[in-house]
């Protein structure tokens, strides 16, 4: 490792594969270049038969077809040759975890011992050497253009390996005058850990190796940052090493004077406690979940001719929560259009009619005018009922109208208009589905569930009206029911309100829902059964996902827009 870089042998490798998963996909091409002292001393390149067909998307990217790899050697023959070629060298790759991960997985699958290669990632090196202004992107193509590489990357293994060689040489030239002369010095250079950052490692010394929440505190005992982890000591220690690359976190660590912690039974309790602490302290270095009460909710006004209003507070029948007012306005505009909800703001007494002062919808008036020019309060009440039924899951007629309108536009070859409406409809589905799913959990007075812990015990949660009221662990070889009864007896008392989530934070109910969806969760007992509405938008999720993923193309417009 102390060999000067000019005398170090590097093998720069690049792979082409059938996909992005080292467990499920296979290698289709290997390209490698062996260099030392800036000179190329050997190359290896071969197609590899993956034993399966190559997906069309991969063919489009790489140009490697199934026919090209038929008859090529399999990885069983190629991998030993590559390992011999790279023996004793430092492996270099652009995004090394990807390439090395595939090679290691192939070796493990064939019981081939994996040599303890030293590995260098040119992506990591580029991020350390180059500024954001100089290199906004560290993709291989961008760096090859920046350094005027003699070989441009083409998504073929040998070309990309040769381009990576030029990038590596250019990066090493940049750091040569900074005292980086050997591989050891290069390894020390990469993390960019300041002396001040290293000096505060002792803040993590007394922390337990258990799940929990950690709080960095500043000179005035103020909370700077809150995080959650399954291993408090290991996670906090990472803030004082090179694995922490975020500039704002380095700034936070420089200010930190101590680290407090809250031990938790498991990750769900840790996640919930983190959310509650974020609300309580609003730490300046956290970017998410600090202000959950600033979410927007859409509600029909309480008047003879209701219309949508956007508020910060949820009430019975509200739709939300939305992260921004603009998103809430877009979703409610789509629902209002297909339910006939007025957008005029004048208050109309019960004895009068809607439409006298509103222009028709086709010239920018109220959607309510599109159905009937003049409506009494009784006639208009059908529109409000359609909205309430959609949100409550009693009827999905507005969604069926949206789909029918999309198909009409597609048949008329108005593909752009159809695609825009498709996207708006998908947003409605996801917004309504979110509140229905979370409300179904919040409607349960008490739910006690358990899941196998990694060490063989049981992780236990008590959820009341959507909020985590208690959490604990029944240790291995200990009868779980007495422990569960004790946890339930000590659980927090929850007083629900009449809002859709009964007063619980949406993010907290979402964490509970995610935990309940994990494999192995068992319901111990519950006061009411979990049930989503029969005509809720859960049945539309498949349609919405297809709509979101649909590719706009005129040649296939009528096909991708007919998503029944």
């Amino acid at each position: 490792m102390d060999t000067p870089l000019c005398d170090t042998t590097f093998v720069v490798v690049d792979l082409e594969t059938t996909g992005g998963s080292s467990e499920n996909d296979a290698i289709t091409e290997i390209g490698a270049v062996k260099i030392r002292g800036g000179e190329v001393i050997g190359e290896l390149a071969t197609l590899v038969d993956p034993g399966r067909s190559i997906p069309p998307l991969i063919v489009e990217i790489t140009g490697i077809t199934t026919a090209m790899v038929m008859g090529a050697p399999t990885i069983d023959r190629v991998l030993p040759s590559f390992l011999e070629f790279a023996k004793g060298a430092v492996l270099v790759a652009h995004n090394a975890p990807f390439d090395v991960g595939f090679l290691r997985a192939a070796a493990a699958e064939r019981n081939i011992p994996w040599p303890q290669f030293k590995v260098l990632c040119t992506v990591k090196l580029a991020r350390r050497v180059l500024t954001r202004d100089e290199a906004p992107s560290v993709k291989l193509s961008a760096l090859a253009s920046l350094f005027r590489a003699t070989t441009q990357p083409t998504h073929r293994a040998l070309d990309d390996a040769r381009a990576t060689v030029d990038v590596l040489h250019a990066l090493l030239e940049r750091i040569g005058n900074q005292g980086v002369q050997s591989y050891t010095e290069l390894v020390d250079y990469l993390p960019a850990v300041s002396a001040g950052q290293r000096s505060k490692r002792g803040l993590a010394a007394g922390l337990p190796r258990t799940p929990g929440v950690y709080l960095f505190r500043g000179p005035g005992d103020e909370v700077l940052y809150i995080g959650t982890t399954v291993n408090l000591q290991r996670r906090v220690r990472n803030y004082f090493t090179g694995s922490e690359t975020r500039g704002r976190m380095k700034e936070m660590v420089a200010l930190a004077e101590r680290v407090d912690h809250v031990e938790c039974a498991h990750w769900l309790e840790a996640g919930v406690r983190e959310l509650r602490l974020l609300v309580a302290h609003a730490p300046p270095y956290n970017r998410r979940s600090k202000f959950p009460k600033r979410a927007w909710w859409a509600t029909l006004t309480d008047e003879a001719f209701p219309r949508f209003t956007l508020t910060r507070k949820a009430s019975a029948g509200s739709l939300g929560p939305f992260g921004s007012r603009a998103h809430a306005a877009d979703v409610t505009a789509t629902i209002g259009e297909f339910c006939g909800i007025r957008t005029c703001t004048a208050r109309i007494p019960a004895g009068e009619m809607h439409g006298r002062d509103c222009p028709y919808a086709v010239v920018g008036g109220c959607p309510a005018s599109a159905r009937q020019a003049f409506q009494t309060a009784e006639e208009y009440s059908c529109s409000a009922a359609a909205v309430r039924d959609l949100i409550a899951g009693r009827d999905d007629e507005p969604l069926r109208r949206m789909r029918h309108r999309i198909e009409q536009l597609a048949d008329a070859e108005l593909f752009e208009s159809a695609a825009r409406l498709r996207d708006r409809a998908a947003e409605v589905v996801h917004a309504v589905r979110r509140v229905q799913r979370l409300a179904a959990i919040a409607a349960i007075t008490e739910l006690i569930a358990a899941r196998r812990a990694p060490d063989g015990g049981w992780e236990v949660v008590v959820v009341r009206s959507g909020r985590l009221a208690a959490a604990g662990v029944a240790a291995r070889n200990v009868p779980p029911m007495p422990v569960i009864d004790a946890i339930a007896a000590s659980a927090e008392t929850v007083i629900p309100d009449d809002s859709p989530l009964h007063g619980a934070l949406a993010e907290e109910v979402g964490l509970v829902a995610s935990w309940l969806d994990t494999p192995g969760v068992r319901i111990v007992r519950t006061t009411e059964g979990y049930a989503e509405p029969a005509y809720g938008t859960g049945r539309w999720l498949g349609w919405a996902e297809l709509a979101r993923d649909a590719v706009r193309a005129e040649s296939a417009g009528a096909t991708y827009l007919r998503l029944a």
Side-chain angles (χ1 to χ4, degrees), residues 208-212 229-233 263-264:
R209 302 174 185 270
T210 58
T229 179
V230 296
N231 186 317
L232 285 163
Q233 186 179 104
E263 289 189 64
C264 299

Side-chain angles (χ1 to χ4, degrees), residues 58-144:
I58 301 300
V59 173
E60 184 178 347
I61 294 173
T62 66
I64 301 174
T65 65
T66 303
M68 290 171 62
V69 297
M70 290 181 64
T74 63
I75 193 64
D76 303 69
R77 293 173 53 195
V78 173
L79 186 58
S81 300
F82 170 77
L83 295 178
E84 182 63 28
F85 179 78
K87 186 176 180 180
V90 175
L91 280 188
V92 181
H94 201 71
N95 189 16
F98 176 86
D99 299 275
V100 175
F102 265 91
L103 292 169
R104 289 179 67 99
E109 186 177 346
R110 290 153 185 83
N111 295 318
I112 299 175
W114 179 256
Q116 295 302 312
F117 285 115
K118 304 174 186 69
V119 178
L120 177 63
C121 178
T122 48
V123 169
K124 187 176 180 180
L125 181 60
R127 285 178 174 152
R128 175 71 174 92
V129 173
L130 305 174
T131 65
R132 293 283 182 183
D133 291 336
E134 185 177 13
S137 170
V138 290
K139 290 183 178 179
L140 182 58
S141 56
L143 295 180

